[in-house]
């Protein structure tokens, strides 16, 4: 997906970034991380996946399904 970005116009890049950011806001990991680090300051987010290498391909694909 990011290799394709080299050929996007600036407007297309902004649209891509906006859609990707929307996806991150939909998932609870982002919201709970903000809570843990900025609000409660307990530094203990309740993440769906503790290890990035264990994230299922279906989840990764979901983030980029708008392409």
């Amino acid at each position: 997906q990011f290799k394709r970005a080299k050929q996007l116009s600036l407007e297309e890049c902004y649209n891509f970034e906006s859609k990707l950011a929307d996806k991150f806001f939909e998932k609870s990991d982002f919201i709970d991380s903000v809570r843990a680090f900025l609000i409660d300051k307990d530094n203990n987010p309740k993440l769906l996946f503790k290890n990035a290498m264990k994230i299922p391909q279906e989840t990764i694909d979901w983030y980029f399904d708008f392409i």
Side-chain angles (χ1 to χ4, degrees):
Q1 290 88 354
F2 289 106
K3 290 179 184 176
R4 184 178 153 250
K6 290 180 182 180
Q7 294 154 7
L8 298 177
S9 69
L10 185 58
E11 180 180 0
E12 290 169 324
C13 284
Y14 282 130
N15 288 334
F16 178 89
E17 290 293 324
S18 175
K19 288 176 184 175
L20 190 56
D22 287 344
K23 291 287 193 167
F24 278 100
F25 280 110
E26 286 182 46
K27 291 289 183 182
S28 63
D29 278 1
F30 177 80
I31 294 168
D32 197 62
S33 293
V34 169
R35 177 212 50 83
F37 294 111
L38 300 177
I39 298 169
D40 294 344
K41 296 185 171 103
D42 63 7
N43 293 335
N44 190 24
K46 293 163 186 67
L47 303 176
L48 295 173
F49 305 102
K50 305 285 185 204
N51 182 332
M53 299 307 291
K54 304 235 183 214
I55 299 173
Q57 186 62 45
E58 304 85 51
T59 301
I60 296 168
D61 292 344
W62 178 84
Y63 280 102
F64 297 95
D65 68 358
F66 61 88
I67 296 176

